[in-house]
């Protein structure tokens, strides 16, 4: 499992908030929900993305915006339109003066807005929990990614638009998977742009020496990897491998492996049936004590306390 694939398996991939939004002008929505990541696609019409710290950006049908971070921001039919609706943490929706409007703006299954048809139609997916595996990825992204229709080659937006209004058994799981696939497609497209500056661990995936080593560590964290063993697997000397890995990834192989193992452990510890012993085995630590010592040394908190705090946060 590589870092992008980790998005599919962490807690962020479960129970994401997904909604179709139908709007007639004038409209302006203030997004104060403080979620770590959201994806908004323009199906019809247009919108303006308004950050407090940057110039507004206009999006047309087929464009998609990915918002990273918990800072408040707005979307509107025009940058000059005053705020009509505020989205609070937990996706609580109110007027500016605090009057709840969830029911009166309901437009059917997972649909919401001030119109039954909508001059502008949006799809928005909100990840309300940040997973440890994906934290490394989120740190590598700017606060706003805008991808235009002409650079996206995917049927996933249309498929998501069709599926979001279906009311069928297991539909939430279907939508979670589709949203994750769309997000990974968007991030891959973003990183593969000629003008992009992808993080070292992403760019190194394509290197003939470092790429295979990264995949070995990421797919098999339980294996007792050493620098010499990874060098043997990639057909170069130990010194050459260590030097090349550090140059491309930005850190030596063993610290990278430790960070990856502990990120996986942090996610796995939040699973209801997980034990510290079972997680230790899955991520390459011989004993629960070894995992606990490494976890506390690197993160300043024990696995048990991490699990207790994480479950409270997820429940909240």
């Amino acid at each position: 499992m590589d870092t992008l694939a980790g998005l599919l398996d962490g807690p962020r991939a479960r129970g994401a908030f997904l909604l179709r939004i139908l709007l007639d002008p004038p409209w302006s929505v203030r997004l104060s929900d403080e979620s770590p990541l959201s994806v908004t696609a323009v199906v019809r019409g247009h919108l303006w993305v308004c950050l407090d710290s940057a110039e507004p950006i206009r999006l047309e049908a087929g464009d998609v915006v990915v918002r990273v971070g918990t800072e408040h921001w707005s979307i509107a039919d025009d940058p000059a339109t005053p705020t009509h609706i505020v989205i609070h943490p937990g996706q609580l929706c109110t007027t500016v003066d605090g009057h709840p409007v969830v029911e009166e703006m309901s437009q059917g299954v997972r649909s919401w807005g001030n119109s039954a048809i909508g001059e502008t139609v949006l799809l928005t997916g909100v990840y309300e929990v940040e997973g440890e595996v994906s934290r490394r990825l989120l740190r590598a992204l700017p606060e706003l990614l805008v991808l235009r229709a002409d650079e996206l080659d995917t049927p996933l937006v249309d498929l998501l638009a069709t599926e979001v209004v279906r009311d069928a058994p297991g539909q939430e799981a279907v939508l979670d998977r589709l949203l994750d696939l769309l997000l990974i497609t968007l991030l891959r497209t973003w990183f593969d742009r000629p003008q992009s500056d992808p993080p070292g661990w992403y760019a190194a995936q394509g290197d003939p020496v470092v790429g295979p080593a990264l995949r070995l560590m990421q797919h098999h964290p339980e294996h007792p990897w050493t620098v010499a063993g990874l060098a043997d697997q990639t057909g170069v000397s130990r010194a050459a491998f260590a030097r090349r890995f550090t140059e491309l990834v930005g850190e030596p192989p063993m610290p990278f492996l430790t960070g990856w193992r502990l990120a996986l452990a942090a996610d796995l510890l939040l699973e209801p049936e997980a034990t510290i012993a079972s997680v230790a085995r899955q991520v390459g630590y011989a004993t629960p004590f070894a995992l606990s010592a490494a976890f506390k040394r690197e993160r300043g908190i024990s696995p048990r306390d991490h699990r207790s705090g994480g479950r409270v946060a997820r429940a909240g």
Side-chain angles (χ1 to χ4, degrees), residues 99-181:
H99 174 69
V101 292
V102 174
E103 294 299 328
E104 62 192 71
M105 296 185 71
S106 176
Q107 300 294 344
V109 177
R110 299 186 192 88
S111 299
W112 175 92
N114 65 8
S115 170
I117 298 175
E119 182 176 314
T120 291
V121 177
L122 311 174
L123 287 177
T124 186
V126 178
Y127 292 82
E128 298 185 284
V129 179
E130 179 183 307
E132 292 289 341
V133 167
S134 49
R135 189 166 294 173
R136 180 188 294 261
L137 175 64
L138 296 181
R139 286 200 304 265
L141 296 172
E143 62 179 355
L144 199 74
L145 289 69
V146 174
L147 296 111
R148 302 296 182 179
D150 60 2
E151 62 183 323
L152 291 173
D153 182 20
T154 176
L156 287 169
V157 173
D158 291 338
L159 183 56
L160 198 56
T162 299
E163 290 291 328
V164 71
V165 294
R166 291 189 63 193
D167 190 12
Q171 191 66 4
E172 288 188 2
V174 171
L175 294 173
D176 279 348
R177 298 290 80 74
L178 288 175
L179 181 60
D180 283 331
L181 289 169

